[in-house]
Amino acid sequence: MSAQPDYTPVTPHAPAPGAPADLLSQLRADRRAITWVPAFEREWAAALEESCRTFSLAEVYKVVQDWQVRLAHAPAVDAFVASGYDDSEFIDMAELRGRHL
């Protein structure tokens, strides 16, 4: 009988060693810095605590990758919002669920 788990946990791809610092400098330069920098710092601190507790870097990697994606897609989101999208046909899922209870 083996003491190894029956599964192999999936670890996110490791970012470059300087990625967190580079990411933070990019976030500070972004127009959303006033909200994004504190949010990143909170998530980063929580990930570091989790890493110390579990001896896994998976959560740290995930935070870096999530914020890299947010930053990379921000121009597309801005363009979508600036395009004057029509959300008048928005469906409120909470309201819809409430009708079927």
Side-chain angles (χ1 to χ4, degrees):
M1 180 182 266
S2 173
Q4 298 298 320
D6 292 338
Y7 63 93
T8 303
V10 177
T11 302
H13 182 273
D22 291 342
L23 179 60
L24 187 56
S25 68
Q26 290 174 23
L27 291 172
R28 286 182 175 144
D30 193 272
R31 68 176 182 81
R32 301 165 192 82
I34 196 163
T35 55
W36 278 16
V37 169
F40 172 77
E41 288 173 341
R42 278 190 307 272
E43 289 182 28
W44 181 253
L48 288 176
E49 285 180 23
E50 178 72 9
S51 177
C52 289
R53 190 179 65 74
T54 62
F55 299 101
S56 170
L57 293 174
E59 194 62 30
V60 172
Y61 295 167
K62 184 179 179 311
V63 168
V64 171
Q65 290 171 346
D66 286 351
W67 279 97
Q68 286 172 331
V69 169
R70 284 183 187 128
L71 197 56
H73 288 87
V77 172
D78 290 343
F80 176 73
V81 171
S83 72
Y85 67 94
D86 179 15
D87 66 349
S88 62
E89 295 184 27
F90 171 74
I91 297 172
D92 185 352
M93 294 305 293
E95 180 183 331
L96 190 60
R97 285 186 205 105
R99 288 189 210 165
H100 291 83
L101 291 178

